[in-house]
Amino acid sequence: MARADVAARALLEKFSVVKPPIDPYWLAGQLGATVVPQELAQDVSGMLLRNDGQQVIGVNEAHAKNRRKFTVGHELGHLLLHRGRPLILDTDLRINYRDNISGMATDREEVEANRFAAALLAPEEMVRVSATKTSALSADQLVDVLAHEFEISVQAMSFRLMNLGIISGAGR
């Protein structure tokens, strides 16, 4: 099991989260991080600022609810798994952005943060249990039902189900 999966599972266990939907905003608060919706460029989903023991997750207030939820999960991945990258400003801050580059998942840390968010918001065991309980007749129906149950986007659930080997691909 990958480090991101282990970390997501450990976080859920630490705070006794046992059923969907997962609330990454609540988890951020439990970790001492403040989530701040803010106006960001359209291609920036969010960012993580760490300074003097304080953590702030900025999330693009213009993005859809489920995208913001994934972004918070992604930034929690950075918070727990990565030291952060330096940004030269007037102060000694470290910052991580979630943007179009991270969305393409070409950087190792971005891939890992995306994997963490997926494992956090749609934990494998919960997804498998829910998948066996549904009466969906097709892969598309399964994706729709589980996306609704876990309160994540259809696209995120489709990728999660494919990555878990539950479906081979949605027909969308």
Side-chain angles (χ1 to χ4, degrees):
M1 184 178 296
R3 181 172 88 125
D5 299 289
V6 171
R9 178 182 284 178
L11 180 60
L12 294 170
E13 288 175 1
K14 179 177 182 175
F15 295 109
S16 303
V17 178
V18 296
K19 64 180 184 169
I22 311 302
D23 183 352
Y25 295 86
W26 180 80
L27 289 168
Q30 297 303 302
L31 294 173
T34 303
V35 178
V36 180
Q38 55 190 13
E39 189 175 323
L40 296 169
Q42 184 59 30
D43 67 337
V44 177
S45 298
M47 63 184 186
L48 171 64
L49 287 157
R50 293 181 261 209
N51 187 31
D52 293 334
Q54 295 182 344
Q55 298 99 195
V56 177
I57 295 172
V59 62
N60 193 326
E61 65 188 7
H63 288 177
K65 177 184 172 188
N66 288 337
R67 183 169 181 186
R68 291 191 313 264
K69 191 174 176 180
F70 192 88
T71 296
V72 173
H74 175 98
E75 299 307 337
L76 287 174
H78 282 307
L79 180 66
L80 295 173
L81 299 171
H82 310 130
R83 290 182 18 169
R85 297 182 203 113
L87 175 69
I88 300 170
L89 292 173
D90 290 334
T91 60
D92 184 23
L93 296 176
R94 292 184 181 270
I95 187 168
N96 292 98
Y97 283 103
R98 175 157 165 69
D99 57 16
N100 284 340
I101 294 169
S102 67
M104 292 187 308
T106 54
D107 175 275
R108 183 192 62 79
E109 285 186 0
E110 296 305 321
V111 170
E112 194 169 49
N114 283 341
R115 184 172 182 141
F116 177 91
L120 181 72
L121 299 176
E124 180 175 0
E125 185 176 320
M126 290 182 207
V127 168
R128 289 190 185 284
V129 167
S130 292
T132 61
K133 290 181 179 179
T134 186
S135 58
L137 299 175
S138 68
D140 285 347
Q141 284 182 338
L142 180 62
V143 169
D144 289 339
V145 167
L146 295 184
H148 179 75
E149 180 180 350
F150 285 81
E151 295 181 3
I152 63 175
S153 71
V154 168
Q155 182 182 23
M157 183 54 75
S158 182
F159 283 130
R160 185 66 171 148
L161 292 173
M162 285 187 281
N163 288 335
L164 293 174
I166 295 172
I167 63 174
S168 59
R172 296 183 198 276

